Each structure stands twice: as structure tokens, then as C-alpha cells.
Amino acid sequence: MTATIIDGTAVADRMRAEIAGDAERFKHKYGYAPGLGAVLAGDDPASAQYVRMKRRACEKVGIESVTFEMTADSTQADVDAAIQSLNENPRVHGILVQLPLPPQVDEERALRLVSLEKDVDGFHPVNIGKLAMKGREPTFTPATPTGCMLLLEEIGTPIEGAHAVVLGRSNIVGLPVAMMLQKANATVTICHSRTRDIPGMIRQADILIAAIGKPEYVKGDWLKPGVVIIDVGTNRIDDPASEKGYRWVGDVDFASANQVAGAITKVPGGVGPMTITMLLKNTVKAAWTIAETLESSR
Amino acid sequence: MTATIIDGTAVADRMRAEIAGDAERFKHKYGYAPGLGAVLAGDDPASAQYVRMKRRACEKVGIESVTFEMTADSTQADVDAAIQSLNENPRVHGILVQLPLPPQVDEERALRLVSLEKDVDGFHPVNIGKLAMKGREPTFTPATPTGCMLLLEEIGTPIEGAHAVVLGRSNIVGLPVAMMLQKANATVTICHSRTRDIPGMIRQADILIAAIGKPEYVKGDWLKPGVVIIDVGTNRIDDPASEKGYRWVGDVDFASANQVAGAITKVPGGVGPMTITMLLKNTVKAAWTIAETLESSR
């Protein structure tokens, strides 16, 4: 028997249709659309591509976007000024600071400058601090980890009491998803490059979040039968048989894992489409909150 | 063979002597002593007792203290005003908001009001956020978890690659100590009341931090031989044989654990004396930073 495929594209499409309806209702009520502001500094092609994808996705659901595209020699003052301008712009409800910033810019300082109520990426240190603590709710949670949690929910995965192993400890995925699983009452183990026996740890997992950035790293014989796998990895590998000469694979060896897991995401078509969807959802949520606050303060 | 006893009292005494010397040098240079401000609202006897102990400890190392003692019906505005006054007082270098605050006061809001450079308790959400994230260093780290890390260091425990199991997930101990161990490259598992097989998890631990608040809960036969145990629990149990009718025990059954562990703290005399020591150390550190900043801005 093979695993249930967790179809991120289908979930994302359904959610984007809901978001588009919500954005439409917002525009109908207030006369203007929800807005997302982005700051892109430097000439990293992946970052530029990512910002373009986000802008296109915004357009499709009826979110307007403003992008500050800045050169690689932008100073801290330049980046700070762009963020301030977005903070003050009443038509911008969400702010996205595309990482990495150029080395001369202090990333933490820039993220800290984003208004809490516009922090749709959930990376403001106060939001991360609240995410880490019991009894505190961040205004927004980071997109990719939230997408992972929704995919688990989608197939009814029991989280409370489950042993969740998170492979990778990045600020963007591994650490925040570990905190979210922990808040949902899973027993969480974070594995990383210094972990001694990664297969031994993964073998205990009822839920595995793979976000270590190593192509097809996790093998089927490392898995507990029935494990639910969310594969966040997006690795490009050479593939002479394909038209482009390459293809995308996850951090999990799909062919062997599919024989053992209870459910698994595909790469692409798993977490990927969920990430931008979460950003869109947060932006429309921010728009309602900001517009309602403005209205009630009149 | 029995375990090495990790003597928190001895480490704390040594550190307090160093802190007293440092406070003396500060006073000699600036003409006034480092200062700790405390906000105590409500009539919880344990909180009052704790603030008294801290004040006494300050006095012994040459730190002056200012305490706002407020009634249980204090409003958010009252607490905010007390914190603001300590923020603005140039002779106060560290601020301690004794938790719990009365229910009508928003704890997170109060903690967020504390100046980052005076957050000697390390509980400002920005400091917790930085603690949780890779590549970010909080200005101060919470006292008890820092004390745990120093005790591990004291006996030369290898942390990198070790499997550290944290039992308990409080904001004050469990969660921050898990983040600190993770930053030190341990593989960390957080266990809590919803964990299915706590003994099974603990059996894997090279390092065990017990902070679950259950008297003598962890038994010797749950342990991997050689494990290093930091017992944060401080539980009062009836003991008709003792003069007072009670005694203090940790979360670990010392008698049986002592036969299996490689090293273990005692309760009392383990983490307890370290906690206030860390607060004193942070206060003197804050005093130097604040005074030097003032001086250089003249």
C-alpha cells in the first residue's frame, strides 16, 4: 500500500478562492483593495523571482501591491525608510521584507521596524517571541510553518501527544514549525546537522517535517510505518532525461518513503503553494483589522 | 558508583564574589552603585518572599534596589507607570517584574514595556524572540535557564550533538532552556504532560533538564547510565520526621537517580542559588552598558 498524497495545490487553490472572495468583500465595503508592500534589496535572482511570484499571486486574488526595489548597495537608512513609508501608507496592510537583505543591512533591525499589525510574514521578533511562549498568541505566524500545520490538519493528523520530528532548524521553517507543533501539544524533537543519529530519531516520528535542504535525504527504511510526512525541501537536481535538464525534489526520497508513510506531500505541489497562500490570507486579515481599527477610532 | 554532585551553591557563591567585585569597581568608577528596580503587585506570599530574597541578595553584592510594592487591585496604568518610572530612572539598571501579575493586568504588555537594555530577566518578547532564532543574540537571557546552562558547563558536559530532553515547557524554564540547548547544538526533545511515553523519551537523554513540578517524578530506572541531570523542580512534601514537618525535593527521585546518573544537582543547593545569581550578574552587566552609553553620548 502506498501513502495518501497530501495535495498542497488543491488546498491552496481552495483557500485562494476563499481569500479572493474575502478581498472582494473588503473592497466592496471600503472602496479600496487590501494592499501588500514588499521591500526587495539587492540582486539575488531567487529573491526577485519570489517577489514577482508573490505580486502575481496578489493580483489574482485582488490584493494590490507596492514594491520597493532597491539596489545591492542600499544602506540601512534606505531600507529603514522604505519600511517606514510602508508602515505609514494606509493602503498597505501587509509588509514583506524579502530576505536575505544585503550584508551591510541589519536584518533583525529591519524586521523589528515593521509595524506589528502589518507583520504578515510573522518574522517580527515580538511575534516570534510570542510564538515561542505559552499563553501568548502572535498577531501573525510565519507562512511556511503555518502552511505545514494546515496540511496536517487537512488530512486530520492527530497532533496532540504525537512525536513530531523536525529536521532542520532555520528561522523561516524549522524553528517556528517546532514551536507551533509544541503549542499543539506534540512532543517535539528538533534534529539538525549536529544530531548524532538522525535515522534513529526519524524512526520514532509519528509526524516528520523535513526542512533540511538535502535532496532525497530521508530514506523509506528510516521511517516508522504510517508516519505523516510534510516535505518542505525544494532542491534542484540534474535530470538529463527531463526537457529542462533538471527537476525539483524534496528532502525525502519519495519513491521509498511512499511505501512506508501513511501520508506524504509531493515536491512540487506540497508545501510550496501553501506558503504564498498564507501570506495572502494574512494580508487580507491585516486589512480587515487595520480598516476596522481606523473606522472605530473615527 | 554514585553520580557526581553538581554543587550549585558553590558555583553561585564563587560567582557572587566576582559580581560583588565588579559592582565595587562600578561604584568606584561612577560614584554610585548598580541598581535593580522591582515591581511587585498583589499579595502572593511566594512572590513577596521571592522579591525579599532578591533584595537581600542585591544588598550583599553591593547592588541598590528600588521596589514598587503595589496592591492586588492595581490597574494596568498603575503597573505601566511603575515600569516607566524605573525605565526613566538613571540609577536603575535592571528591572524585574515579579510574576504573576494580578489578573486584570496584561502580563505580556507589561513585560514589553520594560526597556530592552534593562530587561535583566530576559522576558521581553523581543529577547525571547531573539533567543528562539538562529544568528540572533538576546541582550539578556532568563535567569533559571542560564543557570542550568552554566551548571552543565561547570562540569564540562559535552552539549553539541548530545540528546537533551527537557521535561516541562514553562515560559520561565522549559521553553527557554530548550532554545538555549538547541543553540548550543544539542538535539532537543521537549516533553510535557501530553507526551505519551515520558520514560521512553527520558531513557534516550544524555542531558535531562527536569522542570515539570512533580515531586520525585523521574525514577532511576528511567535513566540512561551516565546521564547528566539538572533538576529544576522545587517541591514541598510532607515529612513528619523533619523539624518543620516538610522538606523540599526536586522532580527527580534523587536516591534512585544517583545510582545511574553521571552527574546530578541536589534540591535544594542546585539550580536555586544560581537563579538569583544570574539576575545579579545581568544587573551589573546592564549597569556597565548603560553607564558607558551615557558617558559616550556626552
Side-chain angles (χ1 to χ4, degrees):
Chain A
M1 225 181 67
T2 58
T4 301
I5 303 300
I6 311 171
D7 187 345
T9 307
V11 179
D13 284 351
R14 195 183 70 215
M15 290 189 68
R16 288 192 200 193
E18 291 165 10
I19 294 164
D22 201 21
E24 181 55 38
R25 273 190 298 281
F26 180 90
K27 193 173 179 177
H28 183 75
K29 175 156 186 192
Y30 292 104
Y32 55 90
L36 178 70
V39 175
L40 170 66
D43 39 23
D44 179 33
S47 289
Q49 160 74 359
Y50 207 51
V51 168
R52 262 197 308 276
M53 278 170 62
K54 288 174 184 172
R55 208 153 49 194
R56 219 151 40 211
C58 278
E59 216 172 288
K60 280 194 183 157
V61 298
I63 295 174
E64 284 181 6
S65 46
V66 184
T67 308
F68 279 81
E69 297 193 38
M70 312 172 72
T71 54
D73 60 356
S74 302
T75 63
Q76 182 88 44
D78 298 332
V79 171
D80 288 2
I83 295 173
Q84 277 302 5
S85 143
L86 294 171
N87 278 342
E88 286 158 16
N89 186 337
R91 294 292 168 89
V92 167
H93 306 103
I95 298 174
L96 162 75
V97 179
Q98 184 64 43
L99 303 180
L101 290 168
Q104 70 275 16
V105 181
D106 180 343
E107 177 183 307
E108 197 270 330
R109 187 188 143 137
L111 293 174
R112 186 134 55 96
L113 210 61
V114 173
S115 287
L116 271 181
E117 83 265 24
K118 297 189 178 185
D119 180 40
V120 290
D121 249 348
F123 288 139
H124 191 294
V126 164
N127 275 327
I128 294 287
K130 287 185 180 178
L131 185 63
M133 293 180 96
K134 221 157 72 164
R136 310 245 169 104
E137 286 305 323
T139 320
F140 297 104
T141 53
T144 305
T146 310
C148 294
M149 296 300 288
L150 280 179
L151 290 180
L152 289 175
E153 200 178 283
E154 179 70 19
I155 59 157
T157 314
I159 298 179
E160 177 161 328
H163 189 185
V165 174
V166 176
L167 187 57
R169 51 173 170 173
S170 72
N171 288 338
I172 295 174
V173 186
L175 292 175
V177 84
M179 297 176 210
M180 292 174 89
L181 286 162
Q182 202 277 119
K183 275 203 172 172
N185 291 323
T187 301
V188 180
T189 303
I190 305 178
C191 295
H192 46 77
S193 56
R194 313 298 174 87
T195 295
R196 268 189 219 130
D197 179 15
I198 290 183
M201 282 294 172
I202 288 180
R203 234 166 243 131
Q204 302 180 38
D206 303 308
I207 295 169
L208 172 65
I209 313 285
I212 202 172
K214 294 185 180 175
E216 301 177 323
Y217 173 71
V218 176
K219 310 300 177 197
D221 62 2
W222 298 6
L223 302 172
K224 186 200 272 191
V227 56
V228 175
I229 302 176
I230 306 290
D231 189 351
V232 186
T234 312
N235 310 287
R236 191 172 135 161
I237 59 167
D238 290 339
D239 180 7
S242 91
E243 207 176 300
K244 292 174 180 167
Y246 64 83
R247 61 189 170 93
W248 297 98
V249 297
D251 290 349
V252 178
D253 177 42
F254 186 85
S256 62
N258 189 28
Q259 306 302 314
V260 189
I264 187 169
T265 57
K266 272 193 163 170
V267 177
V271 180
M274 294 298 287
T275 297
I276 293 183
T277 306
M278 292 301 111
L279 184 73
L280 302 174
K281 192 178 156 75
N282 281 348
T283 302
V284 179
K285 179 185 160 194
W288 282 109
T289 310
I290 292 171
E292 281 161 8
T293 309
L294 267 176
E295 212 177 31
S296 73
S297 70
R298 262 192 204 127
Chain B
M1 227 181 68
T2 59
T4 302
I5 303 300
I6 310 171
D7 186 345
T9 306
V11 179
D13 284 351
R14 197 184 68 215
M15 290 188 67
R16 289 193 198 193
E18 291 165 11
I19 294 164
D22 201 21
E24 180 56 38
R25 274 190 298 280
F26 180 91
K27 191 170 181 182
H28 183 76
K29 177 159 183 187
Y30 291 103
Y32 55 90
L36 178 71
V39 175
L40 170 66
D43 38 23
D44 178 34
S47 290
Q49 160 73 359
Y50 207 50
V51 168
R52 261 198 308 276
M53 277 170 63
K54 288 173 185 172
R55 209 154 46 195
R56 216 148 43 208
C58 278
E59 214 171 292
K60 278 194 185 159
V61 297
I63 295 175
E64 284 181 4
S65 46
V66 184
T67 308
F68 280 80
E69 296 193 40
M70 310 171 73
T71 53
D73 60 357
S74 301
T75 63
Q76 182 87 45
D78 298 333
V79 170
D80 288 2
I83 295 172
Q84 277 303 6
S85 141
L86 293 171
N87 278 342
E88 286 158 18
N89 186 337
R91 294 293 168 88
V92 167
H93 306 102
I95 298 174
L96 161 75
V97 178
Q98 184 64 43
L99 303 180
L101 291 168
Q104 70 276 16
V105 180
D106 180 344
E107 177 183 307
E108 198 271 331
R109 186 186 144 136
L111 292 175
R112 187 135 54 97
L113 210 61
V114 173
S115 287
L116 271 181
E117 83 265 23
K118 297 188 177 183
D119 180 39
V120 291
D121 249 347
F123 289 138
H124 190 293
V126 164
N127 275 328
I128 295 287
K130 288 185 179 181
L131 185 64
M133 294 179 95
K134 223 158 69 164
R136 310 244 169 104
E137 285 305 324
T139 319
F140 297 103
T141 53
T144 305
T146 310
C148 294
M149 296 300 288
L150 279 179
L151 290 181
L152 289 176
E153 201 178 280
E154 179 70 19
I155 59 156
T157 314
I159 298 178
E160 177 161 328
H163 189 185
V165 174
V166 176
L167 187 58
R169 52 172 170 172
S170 72
N171 289 338
I172 294 175
V173 186
L175 292 175
V177 82
M179 296 176 210
M180 293 175 90
L181 286 162
Q182 202 279 119
K183 276 206 170 169
N185 290 322
T187 300
V188 180
T189 302
I190 305 177
C191 295
H192 45 78
S193 56
R194 312 298 173 87
T195 295
R196 268 188 220 130
D197 179 16
I198 289 182
M201 282 294 172
I202 288 180
R203 236 167 241 131
Q204 301 180 39
D206 303 307
I207 296 169
L208 172 67
I209 312 286
I212 202 172
K214 294 184 181 176
E216 302 178 323
Y217 173 71
V218 176
K219 310 300 176 195
D221 62 3
W222 299 5
L223 302 172
K224 186 201 272 191
V227 57
V228 175
I229 301 176
I230 306 290
D231 189 352
V232 185
T234 311
N235 310 289
R236 191 172 134 159
I237 59 168
D238 290 339
D239 180 7
S242 90
E243 206 175 302
K244 292 174 180 167
Y246 64 83
R247 62 191 168 94
W248 297 98
V249 297
D251 290 348
V252 177
D253 177 43
F254 186 84
S256 62
N258 189 29
Q259 306 301 314
V260 188
I264 186 168
T265 57
K266 272 194 165 169
V267 176
V271 181
M274 294 299 285
T275 297
I276 293 183
T277 306
M278 292 301 111
L279 183 73
L280 302 174
K281 191 177 157 76
N282 281 348
T283 302
V284 178
K285 178 184 160 193
W288 283 108
T289 311
I290 292 170
E292 281 161 10
T293 311
L294 266 175
E295 211 178 30
S296 71
S297 70
R298 260 191 206 129

